[in-house]
């Protein structure tokens, strides 16, 4: 198991930047995949970015070139650097840890952090 705590959300203007942090309760070295998702009221939770243990990253098309996911294994923290923010980036952002054991995936979530971008 792992507990995740997000921070760094807030209210910004379009074009601004924010950096979200996700602190894990244990080492993330052995966690297969870490990621960020976002959700707006009434809609499903969508993938924003992921980073696997080997360091490869994946991004939703809507954030490519603007967002960067990174991991600091020494501090058990994953970051999401968000640049050139748009109003459509407004959402609750959730950190996710996926642990794979015996061909099954176990997903763990943080409580979420609100990001609001005013136009």
């Amino acid at each position: 198991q792992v507990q995740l705590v997000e921070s760094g959300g807030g209210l910004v203007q379009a074009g601004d930047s924010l950096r979200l942090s996700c602190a894990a309760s244990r080492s993330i070295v052995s966690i297969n995949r870490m990621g960020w998702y976002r959700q707006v009221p009434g809609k499903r939770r969508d993938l924003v970015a992921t980073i696997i243990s080997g360091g490869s990253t994946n991004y939703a098309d809507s954030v490519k070139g603007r967002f960067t996911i990174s991991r600091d294994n020494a501090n058990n923290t994953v970051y999401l650097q968000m640049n050139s923010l748009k109003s459509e980036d407004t959402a609750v952002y959730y950190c996710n840890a996926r642990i794979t054991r015996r061909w099954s995936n176990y997903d763990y979530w943080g409580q979420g952090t609100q990001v609001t971008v005013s136009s």
Side-chain angles (χ1 to χ4, degrees):
Q1 280 193 335
V2 58
Q3 284 76 49
L4 305 169
V5 178
E6 302 99 333
S7 61
L11 172 63
V12 297
Q13 293 188 335
D16 285 351
S17 298
L18 271 178
R19 189 177 78 158
L20 305 183
S21 299
C22 171
S25 60
R26 49 154 276 194
S27 172
I28 63 173
V29 172
S30 61
I31 294 179
N32 303 90
R33 192 191 79 175
M34 300 290 298
W36 288 94
Y37 288 70
R38 65 187 181 188
Q39 188 172 25
V40 298
K43 295 193 175 182
R44 70 178 186 183
R45 190 172 295 185
D46 289 329
L47 183 146
V48 175
T50 61
I51 184 167
I52 65 174
S53 55
S56 296
T57 58
N58 181 55
Y59 297 93
D61 287 342
S62 59
V63 307
K64 281 181 182 176
R66 300 188 298 123
F67 290 12
T68 303
I69 188 171
S70 61
R71 59 196 291 165
D72 180 350
N73 290 337
N75 291 301
N76 302 328
T77 302
V78 176
Y79 301 99
L80 184 68
Q81 178 67 44
M82 306 187 294
N83 298 329
S84 303
L85 282 161
K86 305 175 182 180
S87 57
E88 51 263 43
D89 294 318
T90 296
V92 178
Y93 284 71
Y94 295 92
C95 182
N96 168 262
R98 173 166 290 183
I99 298 172
T100 301
R101 288 200 182 101
R102 300 186 182 217
W103 306 282
S104 294
N105 293 325
Y106 299 87
D107 284 308
Y108 301 88
W109 298 93
Q111 82 287 352
T113 185
Q114 176 71 46
V115 172
T116 303
V117 184
S118 64
S119 57

